[in-house]
Amino acid sequence: MAIDMQDAELRNARPDQTPSDGPGRQPGSPRLGMSTQAVHAGEQRQKAEGSISTPTFSASTFTFESTAALMKYVEGDDERQEYGRYGNPNEKSVEQKLAALEGAESAILYSSGMAAIVGLLMSRLNSGDEVIFFDQCYHRSREFCVKHLARFGVKTHQVKTGDFEAMEAVINPRTRMLISESPTNPHLTSIDIEQFAALGKAYEVETLIDATLATPYNIRPIEFGVDYVLHSATKYLGGHNDLLAGVICGTAEKLEPVRQLRGILGSVNSPQNLYLLERGLKTFALRMQRHNENGLAIAEFLESHPRVDRVYYPGLTSHPSHRVAATQMSGFGGLVTFTVRDADWRQTSRIIDAVKIPRIAPSLGGVESLIEQPLVMSYFGYSPEDRERFGIFDNMIRMACGIEDAADLIADLTQAFEAISGD
Ligand SMILES: *Cc1c(COP(=O)(O)O)cnc(C)c1O
């Protein structure tokens, strides 16, 4: 029972959960479920002044009472804070909570998801190295590799998402990392993570999964042998559309040099931001349960609607990678993408303008539902050929289901479709 557990035990406990078991505590298991972890992991049982929540340490620097105390620290005999760019107490507790949720040894927080991917790749790659990406991915991750890593002599290969033969074919002695999202944004394609990790191991190449859309509630890639798991904590982990943060999880050994470089890059979070993230994480498991329910309910509604052409949702048997998703995930998240039947971009935008509950905005994973037309939101500057190549269609809508009542979201979408019924 959590109540009887010693502080250290709780802090270090990992949820005992294999992917197919689903979230939560296993009957008879001495380990803790994901919701208990979300509330308690990483935190001291007894905090300063008896405060139940982690106090916000609003400090850019940390004082030493004497030269002797400083000597003790520089000689490595005192684990404490020194200067905010290298860490702060709020960061430490959130990192431990995230590592526990992910089933990882260690976690490093960054000021955004992009800062996390940049921080990891800058640490691991040298001039002359190569990385291989599955091509459906967050457009800024792709842009960083193709446009910017190239300036430092790093070559990026992109292969079709899920095509392991194509990925294997471009692995060569210069390959340092295999990178994929799962599920991908906005097509929600799941890749076989076990196969992905095994391919990396076979060639001694590191593997990175951006699992932002799945979260550790739905999949924990480290259990499949992946080296690094990345999340934009801006999305489900923070969960309230009120902060930006990113995290990388992995072994302490692999993450050590990454942390050293982060201290130089300086892409860290303020203590106030970390407090918000810790607070958001308390309800992580509860929120994910609702995001999963809403995502599935909306996807099923859309699939049965006459004005909808195609729905991309990993929980639907119609999704090409549904079988992969169903075997490795315990839920499918809140993001649903669909195309509108017989609609050009303008008619599609009229649906977006007609909905009353979801707000028009980029991002996902917060309590508020958001809706967007990828063509306009993220791919406006792309040529029609490139949009075609990336599978971004004019009549595509991406909806990030929040935690509102599914019936209200369905009623809202219903009236929005009626609004274009004359078109
Ligand atoms: C949002 C997002 C990112 C970038 O994260 P930021 O916190 O916005 O920097 C990376 N990958 C995926 C899959 C995302 O959805």
Side-chain angles (χ1 to χ4, degrees):
M1 294 275 291
I3 218 161
D4 296 323
M5 287 192 73
Q6 289 307 304
D7 191 22
E9 253 182 285
L10 186 58
R11 279 206 308 275
N12 298 329
R14 303 272 180 266
D16 181 25
Q17 180 195 328
T18 56
S20 54
D21 286 332
R25 192 171 177 167
Q26 298 308 300
S29 163
R31 306 270 188 91
L32 299 168
M34 193 153 283
S35 204
T36 310
Q37 292 275 354
V39 176
H40 294 290
E43 298 185 32
Q44 305 282 345
R45 185 163 177 82
Q46 195 61 21
K47 305 182 181 78
E49 302 290 331
S51 171
I52 189 163
S53 57
T54 306
T56 305
F57 292 88
S58 295
S60 60
T61 192
F62 297 86
T63 62
F64 294 84
E65 62 182 17
S66 64
T67 302
L70 175 57
M71 290 286 288
K72 195 171 162 205
Y73 171 74
V74 297
E75 283 167 356
D77 294 334
D78 189 7
E79 260 203 48
R80 48 156 290 166
Q81 307 297 331
E82 171 201 354
Y83 182 65
R85 183 155 31 74
Y86 309 124
N88 67 60
N90 292 93
E91 178 184 276
K92 199 167 174 185
S93 75
V94 182
E95 284 180 345
Q96 285 178 357
K97 193 185 289 289
L98 289 169
L101 289 170
E102 196 64 55
E105 219 175 87
S106 190
I108 308 181
L109 277 161
Y110 287 83
S111 50
S112 69
M114 278 316 298
I117 191 163
V118 169
L120 177 69
L121 295 180
M122 291 298 278
S123 162
R124 304 307 295 161
L125 302 173
N126 295 306
S127 173
D129 288 347
E130 299 186 3
V131 296
I132 311 173
F133 253 92
F134 277 141
D135 62 356
Q136 289 175 7
C137 70
Y138 184 60
H139 62 121
R140 298 294 183 201
S141 305
R142 179 192 298 126
E143 187 177 339
F144 174 66
C145 290
V146 171
K147 256 168 96 170
H148 300 284
L149 280 180
R151 296 190 291 114
F152 300 93
V154 173
K155 186 169 175 186
T156 301
H157 299 272
Q158 295 182 63
V159 298
K160 193 171 168 296
T161 299
D163 188 343
F164 285 99
E165 279 175 26
M167 184 168 259
E168 187 167 3
V170 281
I171 294 179
N172 68 62
R174 292 179 300 279
T175 310
R176 291 289 168 270
M177 201 178 285
L178 310 180
I179 305 173
S180 185
E181 289 175 24
S182 190
T184 62
N185 171 25
H187 300 92
L188 286 306
T189 305
S190 294
I191 67 141
D192 185 327
I193 293 186
E194 204 170 347
Q195 195 177 351
F196 180 71
L199 182 61
K201 287 207 188 331
Y203 288 89
E204 295 181 359
V205 175
E206 291 188 327
T207 45
L208 163 65
I209 289 283
D210 178 342
T212 298
L213 267 54
T215 82
Y217 190 84
N218 288 331
I219 198 164
R220 303 205 305 166
I222 284 177
E223 288 165 358
F224 294 90
V226 164
D227 294 304
Y228 304 101
V229 180
L230 180 135
H231 296 283
S232 166
T234 311
K235 315 294 169 53
Y236 292 109
L237 298 174
H240 292 73
N241 290 324
D242 59 359
L243 64 85
L244 288 149
V247 65
I248 293 173
C249 301
T251 63
E253 190 190 355
K254 278 188 189 291
L255 291 190
E256 188 47 36
V258 184
R259 184 179 295 281
Q260 294 296 327
L261 181 62
R262 190 201 59 169
I264 296 170
L265 293 174
S267 38
V268 294
N269 289 282
S270 70
Q272 290 80 7
N273 206 49
L274 292 159
Y275 173 73
L276 275 181
L277 179 53
E278 184 163 304
R279 184 181 160 115
L281 280 166
K282 298 272 177 178
T283 55
F284 167 66
L286 282 173
R287 288 186 285 102
M288 284 315 296
Q289 194 180 340
R290 177 63 78 97
H291 284 297
N292 283 347
E293 286 166 13
N294 281 359
L296 186 59
I298 300 302
E300 284 174 346
F301 160 76
L302 289 168
E303 191 162 55
S304 69
H305 197 284
R307 277 313 293 265
V308 174
D309 206 12
R310 180 164 173 198
V311 184
Y312 303 76
Y313 187 72
L316 295 179
T317 54
S318 58
H319 196 294
S321 65
H322 171 72
R323 283 173 74 88
V324 172
T327 51
Q328 67 188 17
M329 297 178 80
S330 46
F332 306 105
L335 199 69
V336 185
T337 301
F338 62 100
T339 50
V340 185
R341 192 182 299 274
D342 301 327
D344 60 16
W345 80 267
R346 212 171 267 287
Q347 289 161 318
T348 306
S349 69
R350 273 207 277 282
I351 294 182
I352 301 225
D353 290 331
V355 296
K356 296 189 167 72
I357 297 172
R359 311 301 302 271
I360 304 172
S363 203
L364 63 114
V367 292
E368 296 95 354
S369 288
L370 303 176
I371 196 161
E372 59 151 287
Q373 198 170 353
L375 165 76
V376 186
M377 188 64 77
S378 304
Y379 288 86
F380 203 69
Y382 286 65
S383 67
E385 296 74 36
D386 276 351
R387 289 201 301 267
E388 171 93 30
R389 187 154 66 91
F390 296 130
I392 303 298
F393 306 114
D394 292 2
N395 61 343
M396 193 175 248
I397 292 178
R398 194 190 85 165
M399 179 163 160
C401 298
I403 63 163
E404 300 94 338
D405 293 282
D408 292 334
L409 294 174
I410 287 170
D412 191 20
L413 286 167
T414 303
Q415 66 81 29
F417 281 117
E418 278 164 12
I420 64 149
S421 61
D423 288 9

